[in-house]
Amino acid sequence: MTSARIPVLRIYCSDAWPTLISLCDKAMRAVLAASVQRVQKQGCVGVQSYGTHWPCLLPQHGPGKKHERPITLADWQERIVRAVPGDFLCGLFHSDGARFANRVTVRDKVYVYPRYMFVNESTDIMGLCQWALDLLGVAWRMNRRNSLSVARREAVAALDRHVGPKS
């Protein structure tokens, strides 16, 4: 979000994910926006909307890098995430996560299984992801200080129901 006279919310989406672009547009219109613009850039589309109240809906916004300032949910945001943690996780994984086929070789035998990864430098955002996964009962583990892995079959299946593929 930047500010001139009227705050603007901009979300950049890769051209490779046209459905994600449409979902951003639809979400902005559903929440606040009277109009949404799509600005084509090289390899991506900026989905944007101007609105006086964007800062009210996104109080976490502020100067500086996200991992260098506190990121906490307002009480009303926490109630929403508690009610629909899968939707919150969908947004997190579609922005900073991935689902892929993990390949492991054990005693010359190759095993392939689906796995989700979420990577973020902000310990606060990582904590919110962990909390939402716990709300859904999805098993996760930290594989690096800034990287979370969901690899158990039942946990991946649960995330598939809530996150699904980018498209």
Side-chain angles (χ1 to χ4, degrees):
M1 209 179 321
T2 61
S3 61
R5 287 189 173 151
I6 300 175
V8 59
L9 174 63
R10 287 189 182 102
I11 301 174
Y12 290 93
C13 303
S14 169
D15 287 337
W17 312 116
T19 303
L20 203 53
I21 294 166
S22 295
L23 288 172
C24 285
D25 185 304
K26 182 179 177 183
M28 285 183 186
R29 290 177 195 278
V31 172
L32 178 70
S35 72
V36 175
Q37 301 83 37
R38 295 183 187 193
V39 180
Q40 184 65 52
K41 302 283 186 179
Q42 186 174 351
C44 69
V45 173
V47 182
Q48 66 183 34
S49 172
Y50 291 84
T52 307
H53 296 291
W54 282 124
C56 303
L57 295 175
L58 301 165
Q60 296 77 13
H61 174 70
K65 297 176 181 177
K66 292 186 303 263
H67 68 279
E68 294 176 350
R69 59 185 163 85
I71 302 292
T72 58
L73 297 179
D75 291 343
W76 64 270
Q77 292 172 314
E78 184 177 326
R79 286 192 299 275
I80 291 170
V81 174
R82 280 186 186 281
V84 287
D87 291 346
F88 182 69
L89 288 167
C90 182
L92 289 175
F93 277 91
H94 281 182
S95 66
D96 294 320
R99 184 190 191 276
F100 58 93
N102 198 45
R103 299 178 193 290
V104 178
T105 304
V106 178
R107 291 187 283 279
D108 296 327
K109 186 169 180 175
V110 177
Y111 297 91
V112 180
Y113 61 93
R115 178 179 181 185
Y116 280 90
M117 298 287 290
F118 179 75
V119 179
N120 202 293
E121 290 298 322
S122 168
T123 55
D124 290 343
I125 293 172
M126 186 62 73
L128 290 168
C129 181
Q130 294 164 349
W131 171 65
L133 288 166
D134 289 345
L135 287 174
L136 287 178
V138 172
W140 56 271
R141 69 176 188 82
M142 296 299 292
N143 57 327
R144 290 192 318 247
R145 68 167 181 75
N146 65 341
S147 179
L148 175 149
S149 170
V150 175
R152 291 187 178 166
R153 181 178 287 123
E154 63 280 356
V156 169
L159 271 188
D160 282 345
R161 288 190 295 276
H162 294 282
V163 175
K166 291 182 192 179
S167 57

